[in-house]
Amino acid sequence: MNFPGFLDLFQGLRTLVDSSPLILCARIGFILLGILLIYLGKKGVLEPLLMIPMGLGMSAVNAGVLVLSTGKHGTLFVDPLVTNHTELLDLLQIDAFQPVYNLLFSNGLIACFVFMGIGVLLDVGYMLARPLLSMFLAICAELGTIATFPIAVALGLNYNDAAAIAMVGCADGPMVLYTSLMLSRDLFVPIGVVAYLYLGLTYGGYPYLIKFLVPEKLRALPVVEKRTLVVMPAEKLAFAVIGCTVLCLLFPVAAPLFFSLFLGVAVREAGLHYFVEFIGGPLLYGSTLFLGLTLGVLCEASTILDPKVLTLLVLGILALLLSGIGGIAGGYIVYLVSGRKFNPAIGIAGVSCVPTTAKVAQKAVSAVAPNVVVLPVALGASISGVITSAIIAGIYVTLVPLLK
């Protein structure tokens, strides 16, 4: 009678020992990174709703590698690279997260759900009260989204991959996921992970960027407005309907994103409270949970390791840095045009993650002038950033495949 050896009994250890040095180090590294993400999420350094499930998934998938019936190493979580239809049908009955990935991720539905949730949280009145100012700051804050594209091409990425990583500059996770799925499916996993890791880290870095580029005297400038325009719910609803229709007409390839965002806005402004509670509660938080979990389990070492990953890491942080600089530069332009009566720190809010960047601007101002409130103006710029980012995503997804 043959008894299994120690390593045969504990297959996670066996596959770890049998792996190449690169995969061995990568698996251990991702396990430790997952634990670190959980710690940083618990401490509030990174977004806990996303980072805790993502970190646990990352650690579990790299620990839970076993020897499959084919003799190859693999997991029972998900296989994002499967293309054969028969094999996919088998995996849907075997891998725990394969249905989640194929039904929510591979078609971009998870991004639409998150955008729908963002829509019900947005008060577009902040933007409509100052439409020209808000849109100008948002456009300036797209510097990283635009400038990173030619830089990425110069570094050797093809047009599709360059556009996908450039979208990290918009600081909008669902937008990055959608664009990478449309343009760069092979690099979807590393781009998505880079995007969400950097978003948390960069929001921690943006306050230092404001301190470096905006002197205390200018950060203390109050918001000077002759009158504040009051936008009625009916006007906000009309904006959502017209905006959705026009943008879907101009950029049909990104129509699901526009529809999802403006559906959330329309439901909110129409006063459909049951829908608002569902979309802003179970749907948004459930989508966030599965987004974090699935991104985590997609980080299996043999799947995510790619020679381009280092380039993506550099380009991702560059895109976010350039977007922050562009937003503050836009704030300085408004400062000069207004006769030096505008706080340039508000420009950082044009980077589109709502409401985080707006809160970053307010926190930087409050540190030097506790009585100065810039949050309403900053929220207008941040909301506009969501729209400008969706427009640029539509442009990239439409035009980049046409480039030779």
Side-chain angles (χ1 to χ4, degrees), residues 155-287:
L155 290 177
L157 296 185
N158 61 44
Y159 291 135
N160 284 22
D161 295 343
I165 191 62
M167 284 304 299
V168 175
C170 74
D172 194 319
M175 200 80 68
V176 177
L177 290 179
Y178 187 84
T179 308
S180 60
L181 281 168
M182 294 295 107
L183 295 177
S184 184
R185 188 172 290 269
D186 290 343
L187 291 179
F188 154 68
V189 177
I191 289 176
V193 173
V194 166
Y196 277 97
L197 287 180
Y198 275 170
L199 293 188
L201 293 173
T202 304
Y203 298 147
Y206 272 175
Y208 297 100
L209 184 63
I210 295 174
K211 290 179 182 179
F212 180 71
L213 296 178
V214 185
E216 284 191 14
K217 180 180 178 180
L218 298 186
R219 273 182 273 149
L221 286 176
V223 174
V224 179
E225 292 185 298
K226 294 182 180 179
R227 67 184 184 90
T228 302
L229 180 65
V230 178
V231 184
M232 303 304 294
E235 296 170 316
K236 299 176 189 177
L237 179 59
F239 166 76
V241 173
I242 295 171
C244 178
T245 304
V246 170
L247 290 174
C248 288
L249 180 66
L250 295 176
F251 307 105
V253 73
L257 280 182
F258 294 126
F259 167 74
S260 300
L261 176 67
F262 286 112
L263 175 62
V265 175
V267 164
R268 172 192 172 107
E269 301 308 333
L272 304 179
H273 301 297
Y274 292 114
F275 286 171
V276 170
E277 291 176 3
F278 169 71
I279 295 173
L283 184 63
L284 178 58
Y285 288 111
S287 299

Side-chain angles (χ1 to χ4, degrees), residues 331 360 398:
V360 166
T398 303

Side-chain angles (χ1 to χ4, degrees), residues 21-333:
L22 177 62
I23 296 296
L24 171 65
C25 294
R27 281 181 60 186
I28 294 175
F30 279 122
I31 291 172
L32 296 177
L33 177 59
I35 295 171
L36 178 62
L37 292 181
I38 295 172
Y39 173 78
L40 294 177
K42 179 64 173 66
K43 290 292 184 180
V45 177
L46 299 179
E47 173 54 59
L49 293 176
L50 192 65
M51 290 302 158
I52 290 178
M54 182 176 173
L56 189 58
M58 189 181 295
S59 295
V61 75
N62 283 284
V65 179
L66 72 161
V67 180
L68 301 176
S69 58
T70 59
K72 297 180 180 179
H73 291 184
T75 73
L76 296 179
F77 285 91
V78 64
D79 183 356
L81 303 179
V82 62
T83 56
N84 182 279
H85 288 242
T86 303
E87 187 178 355
L88 175 59
L89 288 175
D90 291 337
L91 287 178
L92 285 172
Q93 303 175 67
I94 299 172
D95 287 357
F97 283 85
Q98 198 72 43
V100 176
Y101 176 79
N102 286 103
L103 296 178
L104 290 179
F105 275 77
S106 61
N107 55 12
L109 183 59
I110 191 75
C112 293
F113 281 165
V114 174
F115 248 50
M116 210 179 292
I118 292 173
V120 300
L121 300 179
L122 294 183
D123 184 351
V124 294
Y126 291 114
M127 182 195 72
L128 296 177
R130 311 163 191 85
L132 295 179
L133 171 63
S134 298
M135 290 302 294
F136 176 75
L137 292 176
I139 292 170
C140 291
E142 297 293 349
L143 176 62
T145 313
I146 297 170
T148 304
F149 177 73
I151 296 173
V153 172
L155 290 177
L157 296 185
N158 61 44
Y159 291 135
N160 284 22
D161 295 343
I165 191 62
M167 284 304 299
V168 175
C170 74
D172 194 319
M175 200 80 68
V176 177
L177 290 179
Y178 187 84
T179 308
S180 60
L181 281 168
M182 294 295 107
L183 295 177
S184 184
R185 188 172 290 269
D186 290 343
L187 291 179
F188 154 68
V189 177
I191 289 176
V193 173
V194 166
Y196 277 97
L197 287 180
Y198 275 170
L199 293 188
L201 293 173
T202 304
Y203 298 147
Y206 272 175
Y208 297 100
L209 184 63
I210 295 174
K211 290 179 182 179
F212 180 71
L213 296 178
V214 185
E216 284 191 14
K217 180 180 178 180
L218 298 186
R219 273 182 273 149
L221 286 176
V223 174
V224 179
E225 292 185 298
K226 294 182 180 179
R227 67 184 184 90
T228 302
L229 180 65
V230 178
V231 184
M232 303 304 294
E235 296 170 316
K236 299 176 189 177
L237 179 59
F239 166 76
V241 173
I242 295 171
C244 178
T245 304
V246 170
L247 290 174
C248 288
L249 180 66
L250 295 176
F251 307 105
V253 73
L257 280 182
F258 294 126
F259 167 74
S260 300
L261 176 67
F262 286 112
L263 175 62
V265 175
V267 164
R268 172 192 172 107
E269 301 308 333
L272 304 179
H273 301 297
Y274 292 114
F275 286 171
V276 170
E277 291 176 3
F278 169 71
I279 295 173
L283 184 63
L284 178 58
Y285 288 111
S287 299
T288 303
L289 171 64
F290 282 109
L291 176 62
L293 281 174
T294 309
L295 280 176
V297 299
L298 285 171
C299 291
E300 201 268 314
S302 61
T303 299
I304 200 172
L305 284 183
D306 188 288
K308 296 179 181 177
V309 168
L310 181 59
T311 303
L312 297 178
L313 290 171
V314 174
L315 289 171
I317 198 68
L318 176 64
L320 286 166
L321 176 62
L322 289 176
S323 290
I325 293 173
I328 293 175
Y332 270 113
I333 293 173

